[in-house]
Amino acid sequence: MNWQRAVDGTVTGLGYELVDADKSVSGLLRVLIDHPVANAPDPERFITVDDCEKVTRQLQHVLEVEGVAYERLEVSSPGLDRPLKKGADYARFSGAQIELTLKMPFQGRKKYRGELQARVEGEGWCLVLSDAKAEQVGQVLDFSLDEVREARLVPVVDFKGRRFAAPLEATAKASTGPDQELDGDRIQ
């Protein structure tokens, strides 16, 4: 059995989804795991350190039995900028913002950013462009998975409590007295 089948069988056998597995020349075996859509009732459920430890321990045993040589094993979550590898990943994250890199340039560019959507007619996917380089926001780029070099989710960071904070200028104006003026960031 090769190392990819051993890793895939172990990860899925433990009830996780194998997002990606990569073995480098230096001996690093990197495994990215996630909760499968069917087993994740709460979309806010994330991979924890305990999940990574559970998979690591099992993989160490399986890889030793299978005789797979590696120097270091790293098991982690795919992160906020999760890579999209399979058709199921594209279906799962349809409607999300992604960064897409094509294998061959289209209109002089390889990198695009926009909202991932399933093509209405036929098979494949489309990207509703929203990046600054797009000549017109809302243009649609049709593509197939074999044209994609790399695709990743655009990280969405939400610091709860900060999104409703008043802007600095409004806060400063509210704190100035009737005799004080706001000059830039300083009160005169």
Side-chain angles (χ1 to χ4, degrees):
M1 178 183 288
N2 69 7
W3 69 269
Q4 288 133 334
R5 278 189 270 149
V7 169
D8 187 32
T10 303
V11 170
T12 55
L14 290 171
Y16 298 98
E17 175 190 355
L18 178 65
V19 175
D20 196 15
D22 182 38
K23 189 174 179 185
S24 69
V25 178
S26 65
L28 172 65
L29 180 55
R30 180 174 290 139
V31 178
L32 300 178
I33 62 171
D34 202 358
H35 293 287
V37 177
N39 293 353
D42 180 13
E44 295 297 315
R45 186 172 173 208
F46 300 108
I47 292 293
T48 64
V49 173
D50 293 335
D51 295 324
C52 294
E53 180 183 8
K54 178 180 175 182
V55 172
T56 299
R57 288 185 189 278
Q58 189 64 34
L59 275 175
Q60 286 172 335
H61 295 297
V62 169
L63 295 174
E64 183 178 340
V65 168
E66 294 297 326
V68 176
Y70 66 94
E71 292 294 318
R72 203 174 76 211
L73 176 63
E74 179 182 294
V75 177
S76 67
S77 76
L80 294 176
D81 61 342
R82 182 190 205 277
L84 305 179
K85 298 284 188 175
K86 305 171 278 205
D89 294 338
Y90 286 82
R92 179 178 179 178
F93 294 104
S94 183
Q97 290 287 317
I98 68 165
E99 290 180 345
L100 179 76
T101 304
L102 299 173
K103 292 177 183 175
M104 300 296 296
F106 177 71
Q107 295 181 348
R109 293 176 51 196
K110 286 186 176 184
K111 293 187 177 206
Y112 293 89
R113 176 184 256 191
E115 181 181 325
L116 176 65
Q117 295 181 353
R119 200 179 295 161
V120 178
E121 297 174 10
E123 293 185 25
W125 301 94
C126 64
L127 192 66
V128 178
L129 302 179
S130 63
D131 59 357
K133 294 180 183 177
E135 293 176 16
Q136 182 179 6
V137 174
Q139 282 184 322
V140 177
L141 172 70
D142 289 334
F143 65 93
S144 63
L145 296 185
D146 58 340
E147 296 174 309
V148 176
R149 172 170 284 144
E150 180 182 35
R152 291 184 167 276
L153 292 177
V154 173
V156 177
V157 180
D158 182 18
F159 298 106
K160 295 179 182 182
R162 299 291 265 172
R163 63 186 150 157
F164 300 114
L168 177 63
E169 188 174 319
T171 306
K173 280 184 181 178
S175 66
T176 59
D179 299 350
Q180 299 172 328
E181 274 186 32
L182 184 65
D183 178 32
D185 290 338
R186 299 179 317 184
I187 297 175
Q188 301 279 326

